[in-house]
PDB file of all heavy atoms in Angstrom:
ATOM      1  N   ARG A 108      30.677  39.889  45.599  1.00  0.00           N
ATOM      2  CA  ARG A 108      29.803  38.773  45.994  1.00  0.00           C
ATOM      3  C   ARG A 108      30.706  37.723  46.625  1.00  0.00           C
ATOM      4  O   ARG A 108      31.675  37.269  46.017  1.00  0.00           O
ATOM      5  CB  ARG A 108      29.085  38.200  44.766  1.00  0.00           C
ATOM      6  CG  ARG A 108      28.140  37.061  45.103  1.00  0.00           C
ATOM      7  CD  ARG A 108      27.387  36.549  43.889  1.00  0.00           C
ATOM      8  NE  ARG A 108      28.311  35.978  42.915  1.00  0.00           N
ATOM      9  CZ  ARG A 108      28.148  36.041  41.596  1.00  0.00           C
ATOM     10  NH1 ARG A 108      27.114  36.649  41.073  1.00  0.00           N
ATOM     11  NH2 ARG A 108      29.038  35.485  40.793  1.00  0.00           N
ATOM     12  N   MET A 109      30.392  37.364  47.849  1.00  0.00           N
ATOM     13  CA  MET A 109      31.189  36.354  48.540  1.00  0.00           C
ATOM     14  C   MET A 109      31.025  34.998  47.860  1.00  0.00           C
ATOM     15  O   MET A 109      29.967  34.714  47.287  1.00  0.00           O
ATOM     16  CB  MET A 109      30.768  36.248  50.000  1.00  0.00           C
ATOM     17  CG  MET A 109      31.225  37.421  50.847  1.00  0.00           C
ATOM     18  SD  MET A 109      33.010  37.546  51.017  1.00  0.00           S
ATOM     19  CE  MET A 109      33.327  36.237  52.195  1.00  0.00           C
ATOM     20  N   PRO A 110      32.033  34.140  47.937  1.00  0.00           N
ATOM     21  CA  PRO A 110      31.896  32.784  47.409  1.00  0.00           C
ATOM     22  C   PRO A 110      30.750  32.043  48.107  1.00  0.00           C
ATOM     23  O   PRO A 110      30.368  32.393  49.225  1.00  0.00           O
ATOM     24  CB  PRO A 110      33.245  32.137  47.735  1.00  0.00           C
ATOM     25  CG  PRO A 110      34.185  33.299  47.849  1.00  0.00           C
ATOM     26  CD  PRO A 110      33.376  34.408  48.433  1.00  0.00           C
ATOM     27  N   THR A 111      30.221  31.037  47.440  1.00  0.00           N
ATOM     28  CA  THR A 111      29.094  30.269  47.988  1.00  0.00           C
ATOM     29  C   THR A 111      29.446  29.613  49.307  1.00  0.00           C
ATOM     30  O   THR A 111      28.561  29.305  50.097  1.00  0.00           O
ATOM     31  CB  THR A 111      28.628  29.187  46.999  1.00  0.00           C
ATOM     32  OG1 THR A 111      29.743  28.351  46.662  1.00  0.00           O
ATOM     33  CG2 THR A 111      28.042  29.803  45.742  1.00  0.00           C
ATOM     34  N   THR A 112      30.728  29.401  49.570  1.00  0.00           N
ATOM     35  CA  THR A 112      31.155  28.756  50.810  1.00  0.00           C
ATOM     36  C   THR A 112      31.113  29.702  52.001  1.00  0.00           C
ATOM     37  O   THR A 112      31.292  29.265  53.138  1.00  0.00           O
ATOM     38  CB  THR A 112      32.591  28.228  50.674  1.00  0.00           C
ATOM     39  OG1 THR A 112      33.437  29.321  50.340  1.00  0.00           O
ATOM     40  CG2 THR A 112      32.689  27.143  49.634  1.00  0.00           C
ATOM     41  N   GLY A 113      30.902  30.997  51.750  1.00  0.00           N
ATOM     42  CA  GLY A 113      30.907  31.962  52.841  1.00  0.00           C
ATOM     43  C   GLY A 113      32.303  32.146  53.393  1.00  0.00           C
ATOM     44  O   GLY A 113      33.298  31.815  52.751  1.00  0.00           O
ATOM     45  N   GLY A 114      32.381  32.693  54.586  1.00  0.00           N
ATOM     46  CA  GLY A 114      33.673  32.903  55.235  1.00  0.00           C
ATOM     47  C   GLY A 114      33.862  34.348  55.630  1.00  0.00           C
ATOM     48  O   GLY A 114      32.908  35.121  55.679  1.00  0.00           O
ATOM     49  N   LEU A 115      35.097  34.710  55.885  1.00  0.00           N
ATOM     50  CA  LEU A 115      35.440  36.063  56.307  1.00  0.00           C
ATOM     51  C   LEU A 115      35.835  36.893  55.100  1.00  0.00           C
ATOM     52  O   LEU A 115      36.566  36.422  54.229  1.00  0.00           O
ATOM     53  CB  LEU A 115      36.622  36.030  57.280  1.00  0.00           C
ATOM     54  CG  LEU A 115      36.436  35.229  58.560  1.00  0.00           C
ATOM     55  CD1 LEU A 115      37.758  35.170  59.321  1.00  0.00           C
ATOM     56  CD2 LEU A 115      35.346  35.840  59.421  1.00  0.00           C
ATOM     57  N   ASP A 116      35.366  38.147  55.054  1.00  0.00           N
ATOM     58  CA  ASP A 116      35.844  39.016  53.992  1.00  0.00           C
ATOM     59  C   ASP A 116      37.187  39.610  54.412  1.00  0.00           C
ATOM     60  O   ASP A 116      37.695  39.321  55.495  1.00  0.00           O
ATOM     61  CB  ASP A 116      34.805  40.070  53.614  1.00  0.00           C
ATOM     62  CG  ASP A 116      34.463  41.059  54.725  1.00  0.00           C
ATOM     63  OD1 ASP A 116      35.289  41.253  55.646  1.00  0.00           O
ATOM     64  OD2 ASP A 116      33.372  41.633  54.666  1.00  0.00           O
ATOM     65  N   ALA A 117      37.761  40.422  53.547  1.00  0.00           N
ATOM     66  CA  ALA A 117      39.100  40.966  53.811  1.00  0.00           C
ATOM     67  C   ALA A 117      39.160  41.771  55.108  1.00  0.00           C
ATOM     68  O   ALA A 117      40.192  41.834  55.754  1.00  0.00           O
ATOM     69  CB  ALA A 117      39.545  41.829  52.630  1.00  0.00           C
ATOM     70  N   ASP A 118      38.028  42.356  55.501  1.00  0.00           N
ATOM     71  CA  ASP A 118      37.989  43.154  56.725  1.00  0.00           C
ATOM     72  C   ASP A 118      37.615  42.343  57.960  1.00  0.00           C
ATOM     73  O   ASP A 118      37.546  42.882  59.052  1.00  0.00           O
ATOM     74  CB  ASP A 118      37.009  44.319  56.560  1.00  0.00           C
ATOM     75  CG  ASP A 118      37.470  45.285  55.475  1.00  0.00           C
ATOM     76  OD1 ASP A 118      38.692  45.467  55.331  1.00  0.00           O
ATOM     77  OD2 ASP A 118      36.610  45.839  54.781  1.00  0.00           O
ATOM     78  N   GLY A 119      37.343  41.042  57.789  1.00  0.00           N
ATOM     79  CA  GLY A 119      37.057  40.172  58.925  1.00  0.00           C
ATOM     80  C   GLY A 119      35.591  39.934  59.224  1.00  0.00           C
ATOM     81  O   GLY A 119      35.273  39.234  60.176  1.00  0.00           O
TER      82      GLY A 119
END
Side-chain angles (χ1 to χ4, degrees):
R108 181 177 64 214
M109 287 295 284
T111 56
T112 58
L115 301 173
D116 64 23
D118 296 326

